[in-house]
Amino acid sequence: SSDVCSSDLPTRVYFGDTHLHTANSGDAFMAGDRLGPEQAYRFARGEEVVSSTGVPAKLARPLDFLVISDHAEGLGLMEQVAAGNPAFKGVPMLDRWAAMMRGGMAESAKAANEVVVAQSSNTLPPLIKDPKVVGPVMRSVWSDYTALAEKYNEPGRFTAMIGYECTSVPGGNNLHRNVIFRDGKAQADQVFPFSAWNSEDPEKLWDWMDRYEQRTGGRLLAIPHNGNLSNGRMFEPVSFSGAALTADYARRRARWEPLQEIIQTKGNSETHPSLSPSDEFAGDMGIAGWEYGNLAMIGSPETPAMRPFMYLRGGLLQGLAQERRLGVNPFKFGFVGGTDIHNSLSAVEEDNFFGKHVNQEPRPDRWKHISKQGFGKTRYTWHYEAAGYAAVWATANTRTALWDAMKRRETYATSGTRLTVRFFGGWGYTAADARGRQLADVGYRKGVPMGADLARRPAGATAPTFLVAALKDPIGANLDRIQIVKGWIDAKGQTHQKVFDVVWAGDRRPDASGKLPPVGDTVDTATATWTNTIGASELATVWRDPEFDPRQKAFYYARVIEIPTPRWTDYDAVRFGLKLPPEVPLKQQERGWTSPIWYGAA
């Protein structure tokens, strides 16, 4: 119908990065990043820039939008320390860091790690937090950044969304949040970002966000990231201070944090094999090396008991359990991907990966560079993923349209591919709906999109139906399969999960146990090439939940798996003539995850 196809519904997906750091972030600068926000915007828009190691860098395809999310803690200060600003001299720790930053990349990188540990253990020098000393510097850096966001924001072509990172890391446990503004410089400049130096408690951040909205009339949302490095604190059943969660807490968290970052360079936060033992794709991407411990590799190592409270599938299940107790779901979030790159270059194409930090930029031995050590374990650069993107179904490529889509959770995440995914839930989709070419038309008309709640079950309806479709990345790999992941809570309060293969490429048939055979593998690791002679260019189906119980609250999300392709480590091996050890993966299956759709029990 004409009203369904009108411009008030999103007809295009926009790919971007909600999590990029430049030289304004202290750890990025200390690790060698000398590119500021201007070069980051130019690179994201498709221009060629020269990296901090002197390598020309350019994206094969520009991004549609970018959020530069530099750490609010010490914004721009490490450049001042390195430059010898007299205000920061005479403090032993700062003097040592200044010397280390002048001592070459390896020494500078050690200093950057020291900063992370000092922030995690609350041992930063008091001077560096003194608002009389650092306030004017940081406010100037913030004002310059918002001015550049205005300069490079071009509605309809490229959106520069204003944002920053609030870097709460108590005891080394990752509770970081990226705060995203719907607004421009005029409103953003009325405040200076709330940071972990103000408080590491996310509730205090929400209080600040509320005051910002009341003061300016603007809008904010926050995106937590790296639940996989939180040692069970991201979705813990108590508040930051240790009190039992309340309905008010649940309402506030659901309001301010509609999205979670599911994948980035520091691994995959969807789930873990010990949490989802029957999920064959639970441990094959972005798990190895990241399960050793938290962000700073201090405190205690990760244990299986932590994982239900740190991986996102576990968090969604915890949300159902908390809703049963509180009447409100505090962990009702959609998915985005981000990069968390700290060299100003949002480059996560497998054949064009510039690493997370400057010391991980392309060179023959980067794969074995030691990132962090702790608990008798070592994280190497090869553990890092070339990931990921935020995909947003918006009505236009503008700040307001993108932000509004994020707020309503009409988003999905990818591991770096640009596949197109639609996911709708309703009560009356039919097989014919998946065969038409106006899939979004019928999707919106008969149901709700990813990120929404299913409409109330109509009389006579036996089970919800889901319309799901995926189209391959135009220059990427074919598709292996689409899966729907279901989580639910039973009458006894026990949570459950199951992965369903709902449509796949080729004439494969599930075996007696219901397992679908692998799609095949065309990767030639000797040349870092593959062919699209297997898989499908597009997949679509309507799936009805065969195990639906109307009394059980549930969520559903789609996961799209591509055929195997070379990993960035394989491109490096071919480019530099390397023979990598067997523990280093050379190929992977890229994927996308849609935001969930929730069912509230009748």
Side-chain angles (χ1 to χ4, degrees):
S1 64
S2 59
D3 60 325
V4 170
C5 294
S6 65
S7 60
D8 61 344
L9 292 173
T11 57
R12 180 176 167 184
V13 64
Y14 297 97
F15 290 95
D17 186 1
T18 54
H19 192 177
L20 180 72
H21 295 268
T22 74
N24 283 342
S25 287
D27 55 348
F29 184 88
M30 295 179 82
D33 188 9
R34 296 298 180 266
L35 306 184
E38 184 144 24
Q39 291 96 328
Y41 284 133
R42 287 175 50 216
F43 179 79
R45 286 166 57 99
E47 296 181 42
E48 182 177 294
V49 302
V50 177
S51 81
S52 296
T53 57
V55 179
K58 186 176 182 179
L59 286 173
R61 293 172 288 182
L63 300 183
D64 295 312
F65 67 91
L66 176 66
V67 182
I68 293 176
S69 58
D70 282 312
H71 300 288
E73 299 79 13
L75 185 69
L77 292 187
M78 284 306 160
E79 185 172 2
Q80 297 293 313
V81 172
N85 185 326
F88 301 111
K89 284 188 172 182
V91 178
M93 186 178 287
L94 298 182
D95 289 343
R96 187 177 77 255
W97 287 343
M100 293 172 76
M101 283 188 274
R102 294 190 295 269
M105 184 179 294
E107 280 296 296
S108 193
K110 288 179 183 177
N113 267 334
E114 284 191 23
V115 166
V116 174
V117 173
Q119 170 92 7
S120 303
S121 56
N122 198 27
T123 57
L124 286 168
L127 176 74
I128 205 78
K129 295 184 178 183
D130 186 340
K132 294 180 181 177
V133 176
V134 302
V137 175
M138 294 198 299
R139 285 187 175 276
S140 175
V141 173
W142 176 251
S143 180
D144 289 346
Y145 157 59
T146 58
L148 284 169
E150 297 302 295
K151 176 181 177 181
Y152 284 97
N153 187 54
E154 190 176 345
R157 178 175 178 267
F158 177 84
T159 297
M161 300 183 77
I162 294 172
Y164 76 92
E165 179 174 315
C166 179
T167 317
S168 174
V169 60
N173 300 320
N174 195 110
L175 296 179
H176 303 182
R177 268 104 169 143
N178 289 337
V179 178
I180 315 296
F181 290 71
R182 190 177 188 263
D183 319 306
K185 180 178 177 62
Q187 286 160 304
D189 278 359
Q190 294 182 42
V191 295
F192 183 77
F194 183 95
S195 80
W197 288 2
N198 300 109
S199 174
E200 292 194 304
D201 186 343
E203 291 191 75
K204 302 301 183 184
L205 172 64
W206 306 337
D207 290 341
W208 176 86
M209 294 168 72
D210 191 27
R211 291 194 299 272
Y212 168 86
E213 291 197 349
Q214 293 185 36
R215 173 179 175 177
T216 69
R219 301 290 302 280
L220 294 172
L221 61 83
I223 305 176
H225 56 270
N226 277 122
N228 66 324
L229 297 179
S230 70
N231 267 17
R233 294 212 61 184
M234 185 60 77
F235 308 112
E236 60 188 345
V238 295
S239 69
F240 186 86
S241 62
L245 300 188
T246 65
D248 180 64
Y249 175 100
R251 279 189 290 269
R252 287 175 7 109
R253 181 155 180 167
R255 173 188 174 184
W256 296 114
E257 301 184 358
L259 299 174
Q260 288 265 163
E261 187 179 274
I262 197 170
I263 193 169
Q264 56 137 286
T265 51
K266 297 201 301 297
N268 177 353
S269 292
E270 182 196 7
T271 191
H272 186 276
S274 67
L275 188 61
S276 307
S278 62
D279 183 350
E280 63 188 292
F281 293 102
D284 68 327
M285 173 184 276
I287 298 296
W290 301 107
E291 59 189 347
Y292 298 155
N294 59 24
L295 176 68
M297 294 277 274
I298 61 175
S300 59
E302 180 182 316
T303 66
M306 298 173 180
R307 291 171 184 152
F309 308 99
M310 54 192 284
Y311 286 91
L312 270 58
R313 191 184 299 174
L316 291 168
L317 291 167
Q318 293 300 319
L320 297 180
Q322 290 293 339
E323 184 178 18
R324 176 185 173 91
R325 188 175 71 85
L326 302 173
V328 186
N329 185 343
F331 309 133
K332 193 171 184 178
F333 50 79
F335 299 150
V336 289
T339 69
D340 196 13
I341 278 172
H342 279 58
N343 62 13
S344 305
L345 307 175
S346 285
V348 295
E349 300 146 322
E350 299 294 329
D351 62 351
N352 189 34
F353 181 45
F354 268 70
K356 172 183 163 65
H357 282 290
V358 168
N359 52 21
Q360 297 170 326
E361 290 187 6
R363 68 177 195 274
D365 62 345
R366 66 165 167 170
W367 67 274
K368 61 182 178 180
H369 166 263
I370 294 175
S371 170
K372 276 189 177 63
Q373 292 179 308
F375 316 120
K377 304 284 189 179
T378 299
R379 282 188 186 135
Y380 296 97
T381 288
W382 71 259
H383 286 123
Y384 285 76
E385 294 296 320
Y389 284 139
V392 181
W393 284 105
T395 55
N397 189 6
T398 64
R399 286 171 174 164
T400 55
L402 291 169
W403 192 96
D404 290 348
M406 292 178 187
K407 178 67 172 176
R408 66 175 182 268
R409 302 183 292 253
E410 199 166 354
T411 63
Y412 61 95
T414 84
S415 59
T417 176
R418 299 198 192 187
L419 48 78
T420 303
V421 187
R422 284 287 201 180
F423 184 49
F424 295 95
W427 299 96
Y429 294 118
T430 65
D433 293 332
R435 296 194 291 268
R437 303 312 294 179
Q438 302 297 324
L439 187 139
D441 185 330
V442 69
Y444 286 110
R445 178 161 43 85
K446 296 172 71 171
V448 297
M450 61 182 79
D453 291 296
L454 277 169
R456 182 177 295 274
R457 184 167 63 106
T462 57
T465 55
F466 296 90
L467 174 60
V468 61
L471 183 67
K472 71 178 288 290
D473 182 326
I475 63 172
N478 277 347
L479 309 178
D480 168 0
R481 69 188 76 186
I482 300 178
Q483 301 174 308
I484 290 181
V485 178
K486 178 186 178 182
W488 71 97
I489 188 167
D490 64 24
K492 296 180 180 179
Q494 297 296 309
T495 58
H496 307 268
Q497 56 179 291
K498 189 170 183 179
V499 180
F500 298 86
D501 292 307
V502 298
V503 62
W504 52 86
D507 57 1
R508 294 173 284 169
R509 294 289 181 268
D511 63 19
S513 68
K515 183 178 179 181
L516 187 68
V519 68
D521 188 344
T522 68
V523 175
D524 179 1
T525 56
T527 58
T529 58
W530 86 98
T531 64
N532 273 328
T533 51
I534 59 173
S537 60
E538 59 180 321
L539 292 170
T541 195
V542 167
W543 177 77
R544 181 185 300 272
D545 181 358
E547 302 174 5
F548 179 69
D549 184 333
R551 298 165 298 179
Q552 297 174 343
K553 292 190 175 186
F555 63 81
Y556 304 82
Y557 66 87
R559 184 171 66 184
V560 184
I561 309 289
E562 293 184 352
I563 66 170
T565 48
R567 192 175 184 262
W568 72 265
T569 42
D570 192 28
Y571 285 107
D572 265 20
V574 172
R575 182 180 295 124
F576 297 118
L578 309 174
K579 183 171 179 56
L580 300 181
E583 65 266 23
V584 180
L586 299 180
K587 50 191 173 183
Q588 63 187 7
Q589 290 185 258
E590 301 248 34
R591 62 203 59 182
W593 302 261
T594 73
S595 290
I597 293 172
W598 286 266
Y599 165 72

